[in-house]
């Protein structure tokens, strides 16, 4: 069963409570999303490390309930 945008946002915010999260369903099928995540937790981390934090927050749903996630991450300005 595909994940909905609210589930994705809830998982990310549970792991990164200060995060500003914007989720878009790219194809309208509940399987292909884009996420823009801004969190102080990303400061000083590489892009790969930032993405790893988000993937960890998704608790193994990537590749299963969540098929594709185009991810943009950054620390706040």
């Amino acid at each position: 069963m595909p994940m909905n945008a609210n589930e994705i946002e809830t998982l990310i915010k549970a792991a990164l409570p200060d995060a500003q999260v914007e989720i878009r369903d790219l194809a309208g099928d509940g399987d292909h999303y884009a996420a823009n995540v801004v969190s102080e937790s990303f400061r000083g981390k590489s892009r790969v490390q930032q993405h790893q934090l988000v993937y960890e927050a998704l608790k193994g749903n990537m590749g299963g309930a969540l098929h594709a996630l185009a991810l943009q991450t950054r620390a706040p300005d």
Side-chain angles (χ1 to χ4, degrees), residues 10-39:
T10 298
L11 287 171
I12 293 171
K13 285 187 173 183
L16 304 165
D18 73 312
Q20 298 171 9
V21 181
E22 179 185 327
I23 308 287
R24 292 186 334 266
D25 187 340
L26 296 176
D29 60 4
D31 258 351
H32 300 82
Y33 289 97
N36 185 24
V37 184
V38 179
S39 174

Side-chain angles (χ1 to χ4, degrees), residues 1-16:
M1 175 138 196
M3 294 182 75
N4 68 46
N6 289 335
E7 290 175 284
I8 297 167
E9 183 174 349
T10 298
L11 287 171
I12 293 171
K13 285 187 173 183
L16 304 165

Side-chain angles (χ1 to χ4, degrees), residues 3-16 21 23 31 33-35 37 50-73:
M3 294 182 75
N4 68 46
N6 289 335
E7 290 175 284
I8 297 167
E9 183 174 349
T10 298
L11 287 171
I12 293 171
K13 285 187 173 183
L16 304 165
V21 181
I23 308 287
D31 258 351
Y33 289 97
V37 184
Q50 293 174 18
H51 286 204
Q52 287 172 334
L53 287 173
V54 174
Y55 292 140
E56 288 170 13
L58 295 173
K59 302 181 186 265
N61 285 297
M62 276 304 303
L66 180 55
H67 177 70
L69 182 66
L71 191 55
Q72 291 187 345
T73 57

